Structures are given as structure tokens and as C-alpha cells.
Amino acid sequence: MTLWIAFTLMAVVMQAVRTAAQKDLSRALSPMATTLTRYLYGIPFVALYLVVLLQTNSEWANSFNYAQLNNARFLVFATVAAIVQIIATAFMVKMFTLKNFAIATSFAKTEAIQVALFASVFFQDHLNVYGWVSVFIGVVGVLFVSGLKVGKPQAISSATIFYGTLSGALFAWTSLSLREASLSLDLPLVYSAALTLMYMVIIQTVICAIYITFKERSQWQKLMTLKKRGLFVGATSALGSVGWFTAMSLQNPALVKTLGQVEFFITLGITHFYFKERIKWQEMVGIMCIFASILLILYV
């Protein structure tokens, strides 16, 4: 199995678990405090991962020079990625409170095609024909699975469209920025991805902590009382981020995000086998589209 595929699949599983836990936390915390949770409690796990990498790959530790982090390209792209991901995550948490959550999620899941467009226009990282077809079919599949009703008009609020689409765009920009930051270090990509993640998580924790201290100070006490759930969110977030960061350092983020749509297989599998709910025809069409897009990725 190609390494980027393995890391993507790990990220998908961890993201599904983390999102469910984070949605639960959002009932007790503000959107920014919920966002801080994944970073604050994720730092120890990211640090542990980095230490393990260095302990098991001594040549990586010897090859690193702290001056490598002090280059404009890395600092700009890693900092931009850190800030944009905070905003994107806050928007995602806000989506949990919307009446049309499933529809908002559908708009957010256009992230894959937005990544492909941004990469092509701003970074000259072009997909071939198979890549574009794969991304497009995958997005269509996601729209079917996520709950957009075919042939049944729905009242979609402007907030649903705004938070959903902009969340997808911001996550897309995050993916491309962190890839550029990781590649700029000129180190083994698994290692550079871990360093980029460590830098970003520290920056994100500081930014969110400053915001909450001055704007939502009461959230600190609530956050501390939810330490066990916070650690769970932090651990799953860290593992998911390790997967995403490494996969997107190794491969075009558009293809990584398209493969990441296998998350829907997990969700529907749980729905069918655990909750004993029947899979609708619309969901089956979506599953087939996503499956076809994943097969196409193998030819890219």
C-alpha cells in the first residue's frame, strides 16, 4: 500500500471519531473553546509522536538544523495554515448548531474540488484528467450521501451556504498551505510533516488561548472540568492531523481529500449494521460514486 494512502485512512478514522467527540463538547463550550480543545490537549500527543520519530530515526535527528525553521517560506505558509485552520474549525463547530447541519456539511465537503482548483491556480500543482474526474465524481457522491434531496426543493438558509462553503474553502487553503510549509523544509516528508504540525499546533493553542482569555474567560473553567473528554479529542485530533499532514506532504491534497471520502463508508456502515437503518437509494448512488472516484485515484 502506498504510504500516503495508509496515512489518509488513519486520518479518516481518527477524524470521524474526533468530530463526534467535538460535537458533544460543543454543547458545553463555545465554538472557540471547542476549537482550542483539539489543539491544547493535542500538543502532548504531537510532541510524543515527534519524539518517537526522532528516537527511531537517528539520522533524521542528526540532519535537522533549527535554522531550517527560520525561513520565510516555512514561517509564512505554516502560520497562514495555522490561522486559517482555526477559523475553518470554528466555522465547522458553528455548523453543528445550524438547523440544516447535513446540508451545511454537503457544502463543506466541496473542499476536495476547491483544493484542486486552488492548487492549480495558485500553486501550479495540476491534476491530470483522471485526477479531475476522480475529484468531481467524489464530490457528487458526497452530495448524494450527505443528504441533499434530489427533486425535492428545500429551504436553505444563507447561513447554511455561508458556513458550509467557506468552511470547505478555508480547510482547502489550510491543506495547501501546510503542504507548502512542509515541502519547504527539505527534509524527509514524514519528518517535515511532523515538524510542521508541531509548529502549527503551538501557534494555534496560543492564538485560541489569548482569544478566550480576553473574550470568553469563563470558558476556561468549563474547559478544565472537561479534561477527560478534552484529552480524548486531543489524542484523536493529533492522530488525525498526523495522518492528514503526512499524506498531504506526500501527495496532492485534492487526491488525499478525495480518498478521505471513505469516511462515509464508515458512517453508513455504522448506521446500517449497528443502528439497523436501511440505506436509501440516494445513499447507494453516492457510495457508488465515491467508490468509483477512489478507483480512479489508483490510475492518477
Side-chain angles (χ1 to χ4, degrees), residues 6 38 46 50 54 103 115 133 138 141 147 149 154 157 168 184 193 206 217 222 229 234 293 295:
R38 65 176 291 193
V46 175
L50 189 54
L54 295 178
I103 299 175
V115 170
V133 173
K149 307 298 183 183
Q154 299 178 80
S157 68
S184 73
V206 171
R217 185 166 297 184
K222 294 180 181 179
R229 279 191 281 176
S293 73
L295 288 180

Side-chain angles (χ1 to χ4, degrees), residues 25 29 37 40-41 45 220-235:
L25 271 180
L29 299 172
T37 302
L40 178 64
Y41 289 111
F45 299 101
W220 276 115
Q221 185 175 358
K222 294 180 181 179
L223 197 150
M224 291 298 106
T225 60
L226 298 169
K227 185 175 290 186
K228 287 185 178 179
R229 279 191 281 176
L231 285 170
F232 182 77
V233 168

Side-chain angles (χ1 to χ4, degrees), residues 190-267:
V190 173
Y191 182 27
S192 67
L195 286 171
T196 303
L197 174 58
M198 189 74 249
Y199 173 85
M200 284 178 56
V201 170
I202 292 172
I203 294 295
Q204 290 165 326
T205 300
V206 171
I207 292 173
C208 290
I210 291 174
Y211 179 90
I212 289 177
T213 298
F214 288 98
K215 295 290 186 178
E216 303 175 350
R217 185 166 297 184
S218 63
Q219 292 293 314
W220 276 115
Q221 185 175 358
K222 294 180 181 179
L223 197 150
M224 291 298 106
T225 60
L226 298 169
K227 185 175 290 186
K228 287 185 178 179
R229 279 191 281 176
L231 285 170
F232 182 77
V233 168
T236 52
S237 177
L239 289 172
S241 294
V242 166
W244 289 126
F245 276 53
T246 308
M248 287 185 284
S249 294
L250 295 167
Q251 180 58 277
N252 187 304
L255 299 181
V256 173
K257 289 297 183 178
T258 299
L259 178 60
Q261 311 297 9
V262 297
E263 177 185 351
F264 285 96
F265 294 159
I266 300 172
T267 302

Side-chain angles (χ1 to χ4, degrees), residues 70-90:
N70 190 27
N71 74 75
R73 190 169 184 82
F74 172 80
L75 293 175
V76 168
F77 279 108
T79 303
V80 166
I83 295 172
V84 171
Q85 190 181 51
I86 291 173
I87 301 170
T89 303

Side-chain angles (χ1 to χ4, degrees), residues 3 7 49 53 60 182 187-195 246 249-250:
L3 190 59
F7 274 105
Y49 171 69
L53 280 183
W60 291 3
S182 179
L187 292 167
L189 293 178
V190 173
Y191 182 27
S192 67
L195 286 171
T246 308
S249 294
L250 295 167

